[in-house]
Amino acid sequence: HPSHEVALYGRQARGEHSLIFFVHGPDRLLAREAALRIASEVDPEGTSTSWLDGRETTSDRIVSVIGTSTFFGAPRTVVVTDMLARASKESDGVDPGDSVEGTRPRGVPGLETLISAVPEQNALVLLEPSLTSVPASFKSMAPGATIIAGEPPRGPALLAWIEHAALRSESRIDRRTAQLLARSLYPQTWDRKPNNLRYDRPPDLEFLGQEIEKLALAAPPGPITSEHIGALTSNGP
C-alpha cells in the first residue's frame, strides 16, 4: 500500500524530520511487507536498520539504539516488533489479537519516552501484526504518527491476489477455482467481514500463499484445478 510513502516524503518536505510509524494487522504478511518498505525507503542500503523483538528488548535498550548515530550521518531505522502486543497480553482480559483501543499498555512504561526520543532524520517503526487496531494511548502519545493497517483483501480483490500468487509460483488458477480455494479455507469471511467482528477470521495471506505453492507443485503440467484443492487443502471436500 503506497499511502505511507506519501506520508514519509511529505513530512520530510515540511521539515518534520523524525518519523514514527505504527504498522498493525490483522494480516502478518502485509504488515511485515509494509515495515520492510518503510525501512528500505529510509535506509536503501540496509546498513543502518535494526530489528528488535519488543517482547525481549527493554524500552531503555530501544531508546539507546534509536539514539545511536550512524556513519556519515545517515538516517537510522529501528523496527520494533510486538512491543505493544506484549503489553496488551499482560493487561487483564485483553487478548493480543483483539483491539486494545482505549487501553493503556502495561509493561511498557517507557513507550512515551521512546516516542519522544526519536532523533531528527531517524525512523521508528512499531510493527504490531497481531493487533487489529491502534491503541488509544499510542494515538495520544504520537498524534503525528503514520498508521498503516495490514488489512487483507477480500472478495474480487482476494481472488485477484490468488491468481497473481499462482503466477508467482509458476502455475495458473482461473477465477472460479480461486473462489473455490478462498471459500474452502475461509468459507464465511473470504468475501466480506461479518457484522460481529468477534467472529471474523480474515484471510491469512502467508498461509494462503503456502497453500498455493503446494497446489502449484501438484498441478504441472496443467493449471491448479478443483480436484487439486479437494485433495490437498485441509478444508476440502
Side-chain angles (χ1 to χ4, degrees):
H1 194 289
S3 61
H4 70 277
E5 299 172 8
V6 176
L8 173 59
Y9 297 115
R11 290 187 61 177
Q12 289 178 333
R14 295 195 302 269
E16 300 174 23
H17 300 294
S18 63
L19 300 168
I20 299 175
F21 298 85
F22 189 96
V23 185
H24 64 85
D27 192 80
R28 301 186 69 88
L29 177 64
L30 291 180
R32 183 171 177 81
E33 288 178 347
L36 287 168
R37 284 196 300 269
I38 296 169
S40 66
E41 290 163 16
V42 180
D43 178 23
E45 300 298 325
T47 56
S48 301
T49 298
S50 300
W51 289 73
L52 303 175
D53 188 340
R55 297 167 297 183
E56 301 178 355
T57 310
T58 65
S59 57
D60 288 343
R61 170 61 179 159
I62 301 170
V63 168
S64 175
V65 174
I66 193 71
T68 303
S69 300
T70 61
F71 291 110
F72 309 112
R76 175 178 292 281
T77 302
V78 177
V79 183
V80 185
T81 61
D82 295 317
M83 185 177 185
L84 274 69
R86 177 192 69 183
S88 69
K89 187 175 182 180
E90 294 169 354
S91 298
D92 294 336
V94 178
D95 186 272
D98 292 339
S99 166
V100 289
E101 192 76 38
T103 66
R104 184 177 185 85
R106 297 196 301 180
V108 193
L111 179 60
E112 193 166 5
T113 300
L114 170 61
I115 291 171
S116 62
V118 181
E120 292 185 353
Q121 303 296 346
N122 288 0
L124 171 67
V125 183
L126 296 178
L127 174 58
E128 301 287 343
S130 65
L131 298 186
T132 59
S133 65
V134 187
S137 56
F138 176 82
K139 290 181 179 179
S140 64
M141 293 177 192
T146 300
I147 307 300
I148 302 171
E151 186 66 39
R154 306 195 198 217
L158 178 62
L159 302 184
W161 188 93
I162 291 173
E163 290 175 322
H164 286 121
L167 291 174
R168 290 194 299 269
S169 296
E170 300 182 353
S171 185
R172 305 185 312 280
I173 187 170
D174 61 35
R175 182 59 60 99
R176 178 172 295 182
T177 308
Q179 182 172 334
L180 174 63
L181 176 61
R183 290 176 58 189
S184 297
L185 297 177
Y186 305 96
Q188 305 298 324
T189 57
W190 74 271
D191 59 342
R192 64 176 64 88
K193 288 184 179 181
N195 293 330
N196 188 338
L197 296 183
R198 285 182 174 272
Y199 298 100
D200 187 21
R201 181 171 173 256
D204 182 333
L205 298 189
E206 184 172 14
F207 172 73
L208 188 53
Q210 293 170 354
E211 291 292 284
I212 292 169
E213 289 177 358
K214 179 174 65 178
L215 292 166
L217 287 173
I224 297 171
T225 67
S226 59
E227 287 75 16
H228 295 123
I229 294 172
L232 296 176
T233 57
S234 58
N235 293 335

